[in-house]
Amino acid sequence: MRDLPFRSAADQLSALASGEVSSRELLEVYLSRIYTHNKTLNAIVTLDVERARRDAGEADAQRVSGAELGPLHGLPITLKDSYETAGLRTVCGRPDLKDNVPDQDAEAVRRLRAAGAVIIGKTNMPPGNQDVQADNPVFGPTRNPWNTARTSGGSAGGGAVATAAGLTALDFGSEIGGSTRIPAHFNGLYGHKATWRSIPLIGHVPYGPGVGRWGELDLACAGAQVREARDLVPVLQATVGTPERDGGFSYTLAPPRADRLGDFRVAVWTDDPACPVDDDAAAAMDDALKALKAAGAKVEVKPTSLPVSMPASHDVFLRLLFGAFTYDRSGLTAASNAALLARVVQRPRGEAMYALRGTFQSHYSWLQADVVRHEIRQRWTEFFRDFDVVLMPVTPTTAPPHHNKLIDRFGRRIQVGGQSRPYWDQVKWSALANVAGSPATTVPVRTGRDGLPVGLQAMGPSGGDLTTVKFAELLGREVEGYQAPPAYV
């Protein structure tokens, strides 16, 4: 049983089905590990122990009775703290919501419960999902299990740490600019961003609570972080589909385009002057290319047919992103506004100016960006007639040190190959899929020079979630894949 908490969710579901372990026993394994390790990691911020034990017991009874079971039946999981949970506080890292207890579940949470998932608790994140680290004034920072001096990534950093360190079977999260993929890369996991609008975000807090729960934040998508890529399949089975308010429309994910690594048509975007990567990311790409070529895959490095340049895509992304963020103004304080203006003066063409313009842009300006977004989406659609996936970095580096400037967000820097670069370079590679609306799945490839995980991501056609997941699964078998953080085994 020692390796049980680190097994894939698929293996745990098999163990539950065979009777090797009960849902209640598996839950207690995770609770014991949470009580032992969470104080150091600060990954899980709210537990729902009484209900989880009751639900696990009911799952065991249903299995014995021969009832029809869902794809996640009896599996203990965690949720990012941006999803409403009935009777359990949902804070979203925001001080103004520190006592917020919804009276209903978010739509995705309702679907996870219907699929048999047992909800252990909620995981840490930045205020309003608006950072690439999991740190907030309510709960403080989440620490990377590979090196607690390093960030977990974000926004779904708490869930990534909980999954990597064996505190949960998987974490269900969300993202608007890499929030599942970046922490998955930093913690050595498979992370998935679902196709835009394929999983309803009703009850996802940035638009809530109250009547806002019915809104769905532009660009935002659901996602999950797991220890094996195949664990993503039952999560998608449980959650993909239109909300009831859309009537008779349906949404079905396309089957994988290939079942063998050698049958994939792979475009490879190795590097870009708009967002250079360090030697660790380059080495991970070399490892992946060797594995693909050995398998006989059709590989084309930086094809001339790439449908958009990174600067052009990122310009649209920032305009849409800050337009979306204008709904949640809880973080706009006198101190944060002063810091923003100071950075605008310091770097008039930097991210702070984009934030200022995007936050107060006209609706006409937003519509212009939206039109360009959909034109880019069409170009990607045409590109994926000739390729199945695009393989590219997730971020320029491994997990950087914690940044404690929660207010002065645009005063941060990271080091890339010995050069100082903008902190927000961390989202540029991931944002390509957010603009395209495409699914993307990270693959843990190797361990970097600093002992931290290094991953890559595969982006695919809209609706092709099972294609990127299958590709990640197959490539993951040929590279290092998920490794348990040694200090938490």
Side-chain angles (χ1 to χ4, degrees):
M1 297 279 282
R2 241 182 113 185
D3 71 330
L4 184 62
F6 295 99
R7 290 189 203 173
S8 68
D11 284 347
Q12 291 181 5
L13 287 165
S14 295
L16 288 166
S18 69
E20 177 188 345
V21 66
S22 69
S23 179
R24 182 62 186 268
E25 288 170 337
L26 184 55
L27 172 64
E28 294 301 328
V29 168
Y30 280 128
L31 288 175
S32 175
R33 291 188 57 78
I34 290 167
Y35 296 144
T36 300
H37 298 299
N38 194 56
K39 185 175 181 181
T40 298
L41 297 172
N42 195 33
I44 299 174
V45 294
T46 302
L47 286 171
D48 198 9
V49 176
E50 184 177 340
R51 179 171 180 176
R53 283 175 170 157
R54 183 176 69 247
D55 289 350
E58 290 176 0
D60 291 332
Q62 289 170 347
R63 192 179 298 280
V64 172
S65 73
E68 185 175 348
L69 307 179
L72 297 170
H73 191 82
L75 188 72
I77 71 169
T78 50
L79 307 170
K80 187 182 179 187
D81 197 26
S82 54
Y83 287 99
E84 287 187 330
T85 40
L88 185 68
R89 69 177 177 178
T90 301
V91 179
C92 201
R94 290 169 42 176
D96 63 313
L97 296 179
K98 63 183 177 63
D99 298 316
N100 173 50
V101 180
D103 58 7
Q104 54 193 320
D105 284 332
E107 175 63 17
V109 177
R110 184 191 68 77
R111 294 181 181 191
L112 289 165
R113 291 194 196 276
V118 175
I119 310 299
I120 305 173
K122 312 290 284 294
T123 52
N124 205 21
M125 56 178 292
N129 299 274
Q130 297 181 26
D131 206 343
V132 284
Q133 61 178 0
D135 191 359
N136 61 71
V138 183
F139 301 117
T142 296
R143 301 170 188 90
N144 192 307
W146 290 89
N147 181 341
T148 55
R150 300 300 183 97
T151 181
S152 62
S155 60
V161 170
T163 306
L167 309 187
T168 182
L170 61 86
D171 188 79
F172 187 79
S174 65
E175 71 156 75
I176 198 169
S179 288
T180 55
R181 289 167 287 156
I182 292 169
H185 155 59
F186 285 167
N187 292 276
L189 298 171
Y190 297 85
H192 183 71
K193 166 209 170 306
T195 294
W196 187 40
R197 294 179 174 169
S198 64
I199 299 172
L201 290 181
I202 296 168
H204 188 251
V205 170
Y207 266 140
V211 69
R213 79 182 306 272
W214 298 104
E216 299 198 61
L217 198 67
D218 185 32
L219 285 177
C221 305
Q225 296 157 324
V226 297
R227 291 185 286 269
E228 285 192 17
R230 60 185 176 139
D231 296 345
L232 294 162
V233 176
V235 175
L236 293 169
Q237 290 173 338
T239 55
V240 165
T242 54
E244 183 180 5
R245 68 187 181 195
D246 285 344
F249 293 99
S250 64
Y251 189 107
T252 303
L253 292 173
R257 289 189 174 187
D259 293 313
R260 294 176 56 256
L261 192 58
D263 292 336
F264 276 91
R265 301 169 298 168
V266 186
V268 182
W269 197 340
T270 56
D271 201 352
D272 197 283
C275 191
V277 301
D278 70 5
D279 290 344
D280 284 326
M285 187 65 76
D286 287 343
D287 288 353
L289 281 171
K290 288 175 185 175
L292 290 170
K293 290 174 180 177
K298 177 186 175 184
V299 176
E300 188 170 341
V301 177
K302 195 140 186 206
T304 56
S305 58
L306 281 170
V308 67
S309 69
M310 183 178 287
S313 182
H314 203 63
D315 177 80
V316 174
F317 170 73
L318 290 176
R319 291 163 68 188
L320 295 171
L321 176 75
F322 289 114
F325 280 167
T326 57
Y327 188 89
D328 173 17
R329 302 199 174 194
S330 60
L332 295 181
T333 64
S336 66
N337 291 341
L340 176 66
L341 291 173
R343 297 306 173 187
V344 168
V345 172
Q346 184 182 38
R347 292 191 178 90
R349 295 187 179 183
E351 290 89 346
M353 179 57 80
Y354 264 103
L356 185 63
R357 288 176 176 167
T359 300
F360 298 102
Q361 68 185 301
S362 67
H363 183 53
Y364 176 69
S365 177
W366 182 90
L367 285 172
Q368 288 179 307
D370 185 51
V371 168
V372 177
R373 177 242 303 266
H374 289 294
E375 195 267 338
I376 291 172
R377 292 187 69 204
Q378 178 60 31
R379 280 190 268 152
W380 275 115
T381 299
E382 294 166 5
F383 177 84
F384 282 119
R385 294 171 187 164
D386 298 319
F387 295 95
D388 301 315
V389 296
V390 180
L391 185 67
M392 52 191 173
V394 184
T395 70
T397 69
T398 57
H402 295 281
H403 286 271
N404 300 314
K405 299 179 179 180
L406 291 183
I407 293 174
D408 185 14
R409 293 182 179 177
F410 299 100
R412 310 168 183 167
R413 307 287 288 180
I414 58 171
Q415 294 294 311
V416 181
Q419 300 295 315
S420 176
R421 294 285 303 180
Y423 180 81
W424 296 97
D425 269 17
Q426 293 179 92
V427 307
K428 283 184 177 177
W429 286 101
S430 291
L432 290 162
N434 293 96
V435 173
S438 293
T441 310
T442 61
V443 186
V445 175
R446 63 165 22 228
T447 302
R449 295 161 299 170
D450 51 10
L452 295 169
V454 187
L456 299 173
Q457 62 175 323
M459 170 181 157
S462 287
D465 296 64
L466 297 181
T467 292
T468 64
V469 168
K470 175 57 76 171
F471 178 82
E473 176 188 346
L474 295 171
L475 179 58
R477 295 175 187 171
E478 307 303 321
V479 293
E480 196 169 278
Y482 166 76
Q483 304 292 317
Y488 294 91
V489 175

